[in-house]
């Protein structure tokens, strides 16, 4: 079994015989999805190999046709193919309609069905990690104007959070998003910049703080939030999971706040995809061990 397969392998069918699930991306060699899904498949005695497929932009349409021909059950789709995946599908779920892109494809009865499990995965992660309900919660989202931030903001509003503060360094990137959310959902939406004063004031009115900026991935990064404003009642989630403990999470822990990182989001989105394909419930703790050990 190779670490990464390509469109040529699909064309020539030089794949493992039982390869029926895959993650599609460019690049894709770093993806942890195969370890996580393979562990869950093996534990349920489902004889399927989950592979990585590196597809260049523009190769997705052909790849879907070839995969259908080879009897694939489905795939995960990651950057940069999530929009193209939606456009190449016959049926799209409500989640794809709301979030605009797809991360899960199910090949079923000759049709291509698109879903998005990133949003629901995030909500499950927050609710389980923090033992709370997102419906009715007051939340501050950092980096709401980035790619991940927009999807997170939409999902939080969609499931009925109460007050949602959207912060972004480039505040103008929030204009369309806040308009869209206010038009479509009941949540009360407030947009702010990322000055220490604005963030600190917003933090006073929320219980949940989520970091969706890229700050914290590199050791030299500044913190995305004035750390002295974190209180013990805050629930602080960092979408970054590498490193597992960013400066934000370390400071939150020291302040006595509950914390969690994006690994739980990754696992829950994967578990929901797994259920869509197999109609079986995977073992979440096994999936967690498979990507952390
Ligand atoms: P994208 O997700 O759109 O590809 P990104 O460059 O990965 O963008 O950045 C993700 C988020 O981190 C964005 O909200 C970005 O803020 P801008 O929209 O203003 O670029 C935020 N971000 C990245 N670097 C930052 C920094 N040094 N300070 C504050 N926010 C930052």
């Amino acid at each position: 079994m190779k670490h990464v397969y390509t469109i040529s392998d699909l064309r020539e069918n030089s794949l493992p015989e039982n390869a029926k699930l895959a993650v599609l991306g460019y690049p894709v060699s770093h993806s942890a999805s195969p370890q996580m899904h393979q562990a869950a498949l093996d534990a349920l005695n489902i004889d399927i190999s989950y592979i990585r497929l590196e597809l260049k932009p523009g190769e997705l349409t052909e790849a879907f046709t070839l995969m259908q021909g080879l009897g694939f059950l489905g795939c995960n789709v990651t950057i940069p193919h999530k929009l193209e995946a939606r456009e190449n599908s016959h049926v799209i779920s409500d989640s794809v309609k709301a979030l605009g892109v797809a991360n899960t494809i199910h090949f079923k009865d000759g049709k291509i069905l698109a879903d998005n499990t990133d949003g629901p995965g995030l909500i499950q992660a927050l609710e389980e990690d923090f033992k709370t309900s997102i419906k009715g919660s007051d939340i501050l989202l950092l980096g709401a104007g980035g790619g991940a931030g927009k999807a997170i903001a939409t999902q939080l509003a969609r499931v009925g959070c109460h007050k949602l503060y959207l912060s972004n360094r480039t505040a103008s990137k929030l204009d369309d998003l806040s308009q869209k959310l206010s038009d479509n959902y009941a949540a009360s939406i407030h947009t702010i910049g990322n000055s220490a004063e604005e963030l600190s004031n917003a933090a006073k009115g929320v219980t949940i703080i989520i970091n969706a900026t890229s700050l914290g991935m590199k050791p030299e990064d500044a913190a995305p939030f004035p750390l002295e404003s974190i209180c013990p009642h805050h629930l602080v989630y960092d979408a970054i999971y590498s490193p597992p403990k960013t400066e934000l999470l370390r400071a939150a822990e020291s302040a006595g706040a509950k914390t969690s990182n994006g690994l739980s989001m990754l696992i829950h989105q994967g578990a929901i995809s797994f259920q869509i394909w197999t109609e079986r419930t995977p073992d979440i703790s096994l999936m967690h061990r498979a990507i952390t050990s």
Side-chain angles (χ1 to χ4, degrees):
M1 178 127 155
K2 290 203 277 188
H3 187 68
V4 171
Y5 294 86
T6 65
I7 192 85
S8 312
D9 295 312
L10 266 183
R11 286 181 189 136
E12 293 154 17
N13 191 14
S14 47
L15 303 171
E17 199 185 323
N18 57 353
K20 299 284 175 261
L21 288 170
V23 54
L24 280 45
Y26 188 77
V28 77
S29 62
H30 64 282
S31 172
S33 291
Q35 291 104 284
M36 179 168 88
H37 284 288
Q38 199 61 58
L41 289 162
D42 294 347
L44 290 169
N45 290 318
I46 301 174
D47 184 24
I48 286 180
S49 290
Y50 185 113
I51 62 168
R52 290 184 188 84
L53 257 175
E54 185 173 85
L55 297 179
K56 299 202 175 90
E59 292 180 343
L60 193 93
T61 311
E62 183 190 357
F64 276 6
T65 306
L66 291 168
M67 290 168 81
Q68 280 182 292
L70 292 169
F72 267 74
L73 189 54
C75 57
N76 283 127
V77 180
T78 187
I79 293 168
H81 301 306
K82 290 186 176 190
L83 182 59
E84 219 182 326
R86 172 201 169 130
E87 291 167 353
N88 278 277
S89 299
H90 299 115
V91 184
I92 62 172
S93 70
D94 287 346
S95 186
V96 173
K97 280 181 202 150
L99 298 170
V101 295
N103 80 325
T104 301
I105 297 295
H106 188 191
F107 300 117
K108 194 177 177 204
D109 304 331
K111 291 252 186 318
I112 302 175
L113 316 182
D115 215 322
N116 189 316
T117 68
D118 286 330
L122 164 78
I123 302 301
Q124 278 188 9
L126 291 171
E127 294 191 335
E128 284 196 13
D129 295 350
F130 294 144
K131 307 278 175 273
T132 190
S133 163
I134 295 304
K135 193 169 157 52
S137 288
D138 295 332
I139 303 170
L140 165 59
L141 175 61
L142 315 171
K150 281 184 188 156
I152 291 174
T154 305
Q155 187 66 19
L156 294 170
R158 221 181 140 215
V159 299
C161 72
H162 173 241
K163 214 190 289 170
L164 181 57
Y165 288 93
L166 304 176
S167 156
N168 207 55
R169 172 179 59 179
T170 317
S172 59
K173 283 201 199 165
L174 298 174
D175 295 347
D176 290 351
L177 176 69
S178 67
Q179 189 64 50
K180 187 189 96 182
L181 298 184
S182 301
D183 288 349
N184 288 287
Y185 305 105
S188 135
I189 308 291
H190 306 264
T191 58
I192 57 172
N194 73 338
S195 72
E197 193 189 354
E198 286 169 291
L199 292 173
S200 171
N201 280 335
K204 288 184 190 135
V206 305
T207 45
I208 302 175
I209 299 172
I210 301 173
N211 177 41
T213 77
S214 48
L215 289 175
M217 286 180 176
K218 292 186 246 123
E220 67 272 21
D221 281 345
F225 182 76
L227 302 175
E228 64 285 358
S229 302
I230 303 173
C231 298
H233 76 274
H234 282 137
L235 307 170
V236 183
Y237 194 89
D238 201 327
I240 295 171
Y241 60 87
S242 178
K245 233 180 240 180
T246 57
E247 189 186 2
L248 172 68
L249 293 189
R250 279 200 305 273
E253 251 179 37
S254 307
K258 262 198 205 165
T259 64
S260 186
N261 74 20
L263 201 58
S264 52
M265 230 168 103
L266 176 73
I267 294 166
H268 281 284
Q269 64 75 28
I272 304 170
S273 299
F274 190 98
Q275 281 164 345
I276 290 172
W277 300 318
T278 65
E279 296 178 6
R280 307 282 296 275
T281 305
D283 180 340
I284 298 271
S285 56
L286 177 71
M287 291 171 96
H288 185 271
R289 283 200 302 281
I291 50 175
T292 51
S293 59

